[in-house]
Amino acid sequence: MNSSSISLSDNWKCKSDYDNVGIKERWYIPKNYDQNDPNLLNLEIPMSFNTLSRFEVYEGIFWHFYEFEINRDNLDEYDFFKLNFEGSNYNTKVWLNGFFLGEHDGGFTPFYFNFKDHLNTSQNFIAVRTDNIRKNNRIPSISFDWFNWGGIYRDVSLEFVPRNRIKDIIIKTELESRRQALIEITFNVIGTLSIKWEILNSQQTKTLFKGNMEEISREGRISLTINNPKLWSPNNPYLYYLKISDSTADEILYESNFGVREIEIKGTSIYLNKKRIFMKGVSLHEELLPYGRTIPYEERVKDIRSMKKMGFNALRTAHYSHDESLIDIADKEGILILEEVPVYWACNFSGPKANETFKTAAKMMRNLIKRDINHPSVIWWSVGNEIPIERPWVSRFMKRLMQWTRMHDNTRIVTYVSMKLFSDLTRRYADVATINFYFGWYIASARLVSLMLDVMRTPAFNKPWIYTEFGAGAKYGFHADWEKQLKFSEERQLHVLDYSIRTFNAKKYLAGWFIWIYRDFRSFLRQNVHQQGFNRKGIVSEKNEKKLICKRFPQIMHEKRKLLNTKVLGIFLWIILYPLAYILTFLILDAGFIFGDNVRIEKMKKIEKKRLLDNSK
Ligand code: GCU
């Protein structure tokens, strides 16, 4: 009997719980549910409740209710049942037919609740209480520069788990050379199974390799060598197809695409399939209006194809894991993926609850690796972004999280994304060094980039560097003449990106760069006359309108500026600037917005709410 599931993505009923009375009044008990309750709203799950009118900026508790029947009379043949959520933000509590199944903290990775009893073959009632309230001990915590879409915004399904099954399938591929690949497939066996496996070509029209295993229990391992393998790369995203079946019942136990590729680091270079790569990338928040985070599959395909057409070969899914469908598309279309958990800015790194924060972050990373470990497009795990890394307790937290990540997957790059020019000494513990810094936007001029790179790399000389964020805001349609290059004009954005990219292309120890960001996105923090509640550093607007810079990409993607050799000067300047930066960082706690500025967020939320109300009149 194979594992099967039914989708619960459907039209649910929902309602807010401003006064947090739902648990006390036991809204989760079927007899307390009144279909005619005037406060109930329709919501096509998966979908964030922030897409509902009047709830555009709601950060609070929201309940979701769903009634369904099971037309199966063989339920007792299954080992147990799983209620799967692909993503719900931030805290999710679930009841089935009045029984509490459990709760989950975290907004961006899948989770599930196992249960054996409480499922009726007739009427079933699910109650899900979600809240997207900002809290210091959450990840991310109070202040973050993206929109806090809340609720059940990814698919929900009910899975029937058979007694005999396989799980935790891991496909590892390693190259002896470009002409010979070693494949190792491992999995855990529950019960006792005789299996047959086969590897097919991309079109699944031809069996290339096959084998079987009689009466196995506990674990299974398939090892084979492929001569002249078709390697996966952004330019040639070849995918093989693996099928593992129960040879007795002749049922499929597991099937998936996989790619043969290898990622390595040697000195200051990154190698894909034994060839040095240079990543020309862009970041993306998981947001497209009016869908919020629940972006239709074909829109995600359009995004990836548009990025490739512009000349990008890599995508950073900022600052949290996106829906797995995006990673499937990246595998098929061919773009390298850099994934991240939202340990962002000022989380709760110290004090009595720091260990709770670490456990949440570690669970997020483990769930993310478990979900995406077999995707060839994913080449890196980042354990956080722009954290106050100079603080010893933060440095320890991040080093520990990187060790934890390597323990779960030692085949990919493990790092974190830093914003510190001179005072970050923790880069030495990451596989690659990173920097977010907006020369030409927040500070100074893009002309400083080359020298500053030679300064900041001093304490992390012997590893690849990735310029993980640079950019400039531009309101689509706002133009200024070249001389003035007014802030938020498309011309200013073009100048900053053009100059920076041609500089990065010429830096030998850089293994890549990532524009911040592909598409304008909603953020309470952005409230000036050009922003109006959006971060406008996108190279396309929130409506996918291409800004001026997009026309320039074909020219600048491969161009290199002539640079002065400032390597020695860079080291000298670092020696002078490091102590100053260190003292300054401790004297003036990182910029106010980083340290959980709740007051500012509330103020920004009020501005956003007022504007939305004015716009709706
Ligand atoms: C930071 C941060 C982003 C933010 C960006 C910006 O680097 O990583 O999340 O949106 O700067 O200032 O626009």
Side-chain angles (χ1 to χ4, degrees):
M1 168 181 288
N2 65 343
S3 164
S4 63
S5 66
I6 57 172
S7 167
L8 300 182
S9 297
D10 194 352
N11 190 329
W12 290 42
K13 296 288 184 187
C14 61
K15 69 178 185 181
S16 60
D17 184 2
Y18 284 100
D19 305 319
N20 189 12
V21 297
I23 289 183
K24 196 165 62 207
E25 294 177 0
R26 292 157 48 96
W27 290 3
Y28 49 86
I29 301 286
K31 69 174 175 51
N32 294 347
Y33 175 65
D34 169 11
Q35 284 181 350
N36 304 314
D37 174 348
N39 294 314
L40 282 178
L41 299 163
N42 286 314
L43 187 60
E44 199 61 39
I45 291 297
M47 190 58 78
S48 163
F49 53 71
N50 293 115
T51 57
L52 294 168
S53 64
R54 292 190 303 111
F55 294 96
E56 293 86 349
V57 292
Y58 178 77
E59 291 185 331
I61 299 165
F62 221 88
W63 286 76
H64 307 72
F65 307 103
Y66 186 64
E67 296 176 287
F68 65 100
E69 289 182 12
I70 301 280
N71 300 315
R72 290 179 187 227
D73 48 13
N74 62 344
L75 292 183
D76 53 7
E77 290 175 21
Y78 292 99
D79 196 359
F80 60 91
F81 310 110
K82 282 170 80 170
L83 192 53
N84 296 309
F85 289 80
E86 296 310 316
S88 173
N89 187 44
Y90 177 90
N91 172 268
T92 304
K93 291 181 175 67
V94 179
W95 292 260
L96 174 68
N97 299 325
F99 292 92
F100 183 59
L101 296 188
E103 72 172 290
H104 174 82
D105 268 327
F108 304 101
T109 46
F111 57 93
Y112 58 83
F113 301 106
N114 286 352
F115 59 97
K116 174 73 190 157
D117 309 315
H118 319 316
L119 188 64
N120 307 328
T121 48
S122 56
Q123 198 61 17
N124 289 283
F125 173 69
I126 291 182
V128 181
R129 176 189 186 277
T130 62
D131 86 66
N132 63 341
I133 299 164
R134 296 165 189 258
K135 291 182 180 174
N136 249 322
N137 65 327
R138 290 185 164 182
I139 291 185
S141 85
I142 303 277
S143 182
F144 44 90
D145 190 21
W146 64 80
F147 191 78
N148 185 22
W149 297 98
I152 311 172
Y153 68 92
R154 291 187 187 154
D155 280 326
V156 184
S157 62
L158 177 63
E159 192 180 334
F160 302 84
V161 183
R163 296 184 196 292
N164 296 316
R165 60 191 183 274
I166 63 173
K167 55 183 260 190
D168 306 329
I169 297 90
I170 295 180
I171 305 167
K172 280 191 180 174
T173 64
E174 199 182 317
L175 300 189
E176 288 286 281
S177 71
R178 284 178 61 83
R179 298 233 168 282
Q180 193 173 66
L182 306 176
I183 316 294
E184 186 189 64
I185 301 162
T186 56
F187 49 90
N188 292 329
V189 178
I190 309 294
T192 304
L193 278 166
S194 294
I195 69 156
K196 60 184 177 182
W197 59 270
E198 52 182 327
I199 292 177
L200 298 96
N201 63 345
S202 208
Q203 300 79 0
Q204 299 176 39
T205 52
K206 191 178 161 212
T207 297
L208 305 172
F209 307 91
K210 63 180 182 180
N212 51 46
M213 300 162 143
E214 299 301 329
E215 296 289 303
I216 55 170
S217 56
R218 282 168 38 78
E219 64 175 24
R221 180 183 300 269
I222 301 166
S223 302
L224 68 148
T225 302
I226 302 184
N227 294 316
N228 300 315
K230 288 188 169 64
L231 301 176
W232 186 93
S233 71
N235 294 335
N236 183 6
Y238 187 85
L239 294 170
Y240 289 91
Y241 195 76
L242 169 67
K243 222 186 264 186
I244 302 177
S245 310
D246 175 339
S247 49
T248 314
D250 195 19
E251 282 177 346
I252 292 179
L253 298 167
Y254 175 83
E255 54 183 331
S256 165
N257 285 314
F258 72 95
V260 178
R261 67 111 183 91
E262 177 190 71
I263 198 83
E264 289 174 293
I265 289 174
K266 286 180 199 155
T268 61
S269 297
I270 298 175
Y271 291 80
L272 174 70
N273 303 334
K274 311 284 184 205
K275 272 188 178 174
R276 184 177 184 276
I277 51 167
F278 187 78
M279 288 188 269
K280 299 176 180 178
V282 66
S283 290
L284 178 72
H285 266 300
E286 185 175 46
E287 178 185 276
L288 179 66
L289 301 182
Y291 314 104
R293 291 206 195 296
T294 311
I295 304 172
Y297 187 89
E298 60 281 0
E299 292 295 337
R300 293 183 200 263
V301 174
K302 267 194 235 165
D303 281 346
I304 299 282
R305 286 183 178 164
S306 165
M307 291 169 192
K308 286 197 61 141
K309 203 164 169 217
M310 290 176 184
F312 297 110
N313 63 3
L315 167 63
R316 179 181 169 216
T317 53
H319 286 288
Y320 40 76
S321 37
H322 295 202
D323 189 274
E324 191 178 0
S325 59
L326 182 79
I327 314 300
D328 287 332
I329 295 164
D331 289 345
K332 290 177 184 128
E333 298 292 329
I335 194 165
L336 298 168
I337 295 284
L338 282 54
E339 292 203 275
E340 189 160 280
V341 289
V343 177
Y344 180 92
W345 288 359
C347 292
N348 209 4
F349 294 109
S350 62
K353 293 206 169 182
N355 215 27
E356 185 189 315
T357 311
F358 183 84
K359 281 185 193 152
T360 305
K363 202 171 130 196
M364 283 179 180
M365 185 48 91
R366 186 200 58 209
N367 289 351
L368 174 56
I369 292 172
K370 191 173 159 64
R371 187 192 80 172
D372 291 355
I373 193 159
N374 293 331
H375 285 285
S377 56
V378 178
I379 63 162
W380 117 345
W381 308 116
S382 160
V383 297
N385 178 74
E386 295 200 347
I387 53 317
I389 194 73
E390 306 89 344
R391 283 149 182 71
W393 56 90
V394 179
S395 177
R396 278 196 299 275
F397 184 104
M398 299 308 271
K399 284 191 277 190
R400 208 175 141 209
L401 198 48
M402 285 193 283
Q403 282 165 347
W404 165 268
T405 303
R406 287 191 186 98
M407 200 173 78
H408 285 80
D409 179 8
N410 62 1
T411 67
R412 289 177 170 88
I413 295 166
V414 175
T415 189
Y416 64 93
V417 175
S418 178
M419 65 188 284
K420 305 296 178 169
L421 293 178
F422 317 118
S423 53
D424 178 347
L425 295 181
T426 309
R427 286 188 177 108
R428 293 171 293 175
Y429 301 92
D431 293 341
V432 299
T434 62
I435 180 69
N436 293 353
F437 213 87
Y438 293 77
F439 287 108
W441 179 252
Y442 287 125
I443 188 168
S445 151
R447 295 178 191 289
L448 264 180
V449 164
S450 178
L451 170 60
M452 282 294 116
L453 267 168
D454 288 343
V455 175
M456 69 178 90
R457 75 178 288 235
T458 304
F461 223 82
N462 60 339
K463 54 184 68 214
W465 277 71
I466 308 271
Y467 210 105
T468 28
E469 283 187 34
F470 65 104
K475 176 82 170 76
Y476 177 75
F478 173 49
H479 294 281
D481 55 43
W482 283 104
E483 288 63 48
K484 290 202 188 99
Q485 283 183 13
L486 292 178
K487 264 209 152 183
F488 287 98
S489 68
E490 291 189 42
E491 286 72 14
R492 173 63 172 274
Q493 182 186 54
L494 187 153
H495 168 73
V496 171
L497 293 180
D498 177 316
Y499 194 94
S500 304
I501 290 170
R502 288 185 296 116
T503 304
F504 298 148
N505 289 345
K507 299 300 276 188
K508 295 226 177 325
Y509 53 81
L510 265 194
W513 47 259
F514 286 76
I515 293 175
W516 185 264
I517 187 168
Y518 179 71
R519 183 164 41 237
D520 289 354
F521 59 94
R522 285 187 67 184
S523 169
F524 290 152
L525 295 178
R526 309 292 172 169
Q527 295 295 348
N528 75 24
V529 65
H530 301 287
Q531 295 167 321
Q532 297 283 302
F534 283 86
N535 183 313
R536 296 244 175 250
K537 296 189 184 69
I539 56 178
V540 303
S541 75
E542 70 276 19
K543 295 175 189 139
N544 280 332
E545 299 150 316
K546 288 190 171 77
K547 298 175 189 177
L548 212 48
I549 179 66
C550 295
K551 293 194 183 79
R552 287 276 296 159
F553 283 133
Q555 292 97 306
I556 57 177
M557 276 297 178
H558 306 285
E559 263 184 41
K560 297 180 181 181
R561 275 188 346 98
K562 286 214 174 318
L563 305 178
L564 293 173
N565 184 339
T566 51
K567 277 187 187 154
V568 174
L569 175 61
I571 296 169
F572 179 67
L573 283 176
W574 183 83
I575 293 167
I576 297 171
L577 293 169
Y578 171 69
L580 289 176
Y582 205 77
I583 293 160
L584 262 181
T585 304
F586 270 91
L587 288 182
I588 45 161
L589 281 183
D590 286 278
F593 69 88
I594 279 199
F595 279 83
D597 185 345
N598 206 1
V599 169
R600 186 158 176 251
I601 285 284
E602 287 314 311
K603 188 168 146 258
M604 295 291 171
K605 215 159 61 175
K606 284 196 180 74
I607 297 170
E608 177 87 356
K609 212 176 218 173
K610 183 181 175 315
R611 186 183 50 259
L612 288 165
L613 273 175
D614 294 347
N615 292 353
S616 65
K617 279 174 191 152

